[in-house]
Amino acid sequence: MPDRRRAPRDDPGNRVRSVRRIAGQLGGARIAIALLLLTIALQIAALSWGLPLLRDAESALYDLRAANLAPGADTDKRITLVVYTADTNRATGQISPVDRTILAKALAQIDRLGASAIAIDVLFDSPQDDDALLQGTLKEMKTPVFLAFADAKTNPDAITYEQEQDLRTYVAAAASPKVKPASILLETDTDGVARRWPRQYVGLPPLLAVALSEAAGDGDNRFMHYTGPIRFRMPLSSDRPVFDKIPIDLLADPDSADLVGNVIKGRYVMIGGDFSDFDKFDTPFTRTGNPITGERQMIGVEVHASMLAQLLDGALPRSISTGMLWVAGTVVILLGAATALYSGRGAVVGLAVILQFGMFLATPVLLERWGFDTLGVPSMGWIVGWLLAYTAINAAMRVIGAKEREFAQGALGKYLPRSIANEIVRNPDRLSLHGEKRELFCVFSDLEGFTKLSHALKPEVCAALLNDYLDRLSEIVLEHGGTLDKFVGDAVVAFWGAPIAYPDDGERAIRAAWAMYQAGEDFRGSVAEGLPPVGRTRVGVHFGEAVVGNFGGDKRIQYTALGDAMNTAARLESANKTLKTKVLVSREAAERSGLDWFRPMGTVTLRGRATPVEVFEVLPDLAEDQRVVVNELVEAHAAGDSRLVQRLTTKLAQFGQDDALGNLFERLRATAKGESYVLG
């Protein structure tokens, strides 16, 4: 018989004692921090679209799903775009403002051909000689016409206050029972992308799409104050666009207008500009490009047409309430906390994390597919909130004094490179203070004249420039699999071959060296006007033995490489100045790179060294025939064939002589057969 007096496992008293024991182990301060982190995590999970650091990520993910799930559409038979083009401007001799005479002629033909309603997405904000002609045409229109309207308060980028007054005067002069103003306002998010319907501001006439649809009896009151996503559609093929687009020149001529009468009669006609550098908007297609047309931006009148088509289709996405977002955020936080509390096998935890992250990424996609408005639905916010909740609970439940964690924190606190720090976390024995001989590809870079430049700059300006520069170069080193050794002022020291060596270390080191030079050139071009000019980035590369390991004491260590190979790379970097080169590589490094990017630059004796070094300049784009001739020139000098040297020098001069090649000619003339040029 079972002992009925024994307390069951889920006895409330046991649970209370367990909670008290855990609270005692954690302490009040740690519990308070964990609760604070959970609160922040919930805010992030529910409100990530309003957070500056996450808003861009959420917008990018929205664009991806909106573009990939955009409905396909054959050419819309309800709407036609009539556009001014660059050819129109050349023919009329007017660019800004566009010619109004051709517009008057086109309007007359559109009216004659029986359009349903007409929208003009062109602001008449400056008086022109042909205003009377256009206003007269507008007065005679039988088709409803809506003139573009904007004010300086809601659309300051499009119109000034003075232009607004001219616009109001023009609209008032042209107004009739058939001619009315409509708002052409298009609002973009903080990243400049048009994703949402603009707000209907007090004092502005109805939005262009709303006004058009109401004039033709197709209005939908649900869109009067709608500010959700614009539905952009995907053409079925490149020769079947979503909207027919007709040059305005074609409609201005009565003879040619009849040829396109079938795309005007009974349709909404929207007139605007189609120029490469004006009135273009980024849309959710911008990041990836429209997969059918390849276009990354959309003209303003086509955005208005997309809104009109959405209204006519009644394509109003279902909304998700703020309360549901908070509920979803709470579920995300609970999942993160539960995962941190699970103490099972690592593989199970890993699978659970993958499934949860997949769910966070997939849920907004599914909601978009099911017709919900996912502007405001988190994805990255759920992931970041989950991570923060997981971190808070995991930190609270782990033993803070565990040897491995203390060790990792101590190592990171001593400024080890990230790659080494990661290896030490996996294998703490690697932190022992010892060195080993390794064959390394050593890279040194230096920014010409920066030390002198720094004295002419304010400290904060100098620091900002230096941080930007070092960030660019260090990113290149890491992207190419190198180990960042140290920064010495504006110099970057890096190596390949330790702590882990790969067969293609040589190739990656050379590619990184060239990329560092190019990044230096980009940096020079990015320096703000008014600051002194920045010099070139010089790079030296050498291959050889070095002692690599952790050096230092008990309080501070550094993972670094020491030895002749590192010194030689530094001397090569310095030699660039004398040799007029940019990226200088020793034969040892060039031969092991597997690349054919090199131009021989002779033999030199580096400062502080007795042994000559054969050096090569990295020039990936150098013509092969010129590379061959330079190689023959250096070999001829080594063989003491002065006549051949002279002949090849003349031949090379025909290719065009750069500073480095001219310097090579001078050094060869200054040295005898095979003699090394000694650098001072």
Side-chain angles (χ1 to χ4, degrees), residues 40-41 43-61 378-385:
I40 295 173
Q43 296 278 339
I44 292 173
L47 305 174
S48 59
W49 276 84
L51 301 176
L53 295 179
L54 288 174
R55 182 168 49 222
D56 290 345
E58 299 289 14
S59 298
L61 289 173
S379 188
M380 284 303 299
W382 286 343
I383 292 175
V384 174

Side-chain angles (χ1 to χ4, degrees), residues 1 18 140 192 196 225 332 337 340 544 574 576 579 614 664 678:
M1 294 290 292
S18 296
E140 296 174 1
R196 312 166 192 266
H225 299 285
V332 167
S574 180
N576 279 295
L579 273 55
E614 290 186 64
L664 174 61
V678 179

Side-chain angles (χ1 to χ4, degrees), residues 385-443:
W386 185 97
L387 287 171
L388 192 55
Y390 177 90
T391 301
I393 299 302
N394 187 55
M397 299 306 295
R398 289 178 62 87
V399 178
I400 302 302
K403 293 182 180 180
E404 292 80 6
R405 185 167 295 276
E406 286 181 352
F407 187 88
Q409 290 172 343
L412 292 172
K414 295 177 181 178
Y415 307 105
L416 288 174
R418 182 178 299 176
S419 59
I420 309 306
N422 290 338
E423 183 173 345
I424 287 171
V425 170
R426 295 190 298 268
N427 183 9
D429 292 338
R430 295 301 297 270
L431 193 60
S432 57
L433 298 179
H434 74 278
E436 58 179 338
K437 277 191 175 182
R438 300 286 288 269
E439 290 185 327
L440 303 178
F441 290 87
C442 310
V443 174

Side-chain angles (χ1 to χ4, degrees), residues 316-350:
L316 197 69
R318 290 181 284 177
S319 62
I320 299 173
S321 68
T322 303
M324 285 302 300
L325 293 179
W326 280 104
V327 171
T330 302
V331 172
V332 167
I333 301 311
L334 292 176
L335 286 172
T339 306
L341 289 171
Y342 179 73
S343 58
R345 291 181 299 172
V348 175
V349 175

Side-chain angles (χ1 to χ4, degrees), residues 604-613 676 678:
V604 297
T605 300
L606 299 171
R607 186 171 57 184
R609 291 177 56 91
T611 305
V613 178
S676 172
V678 179

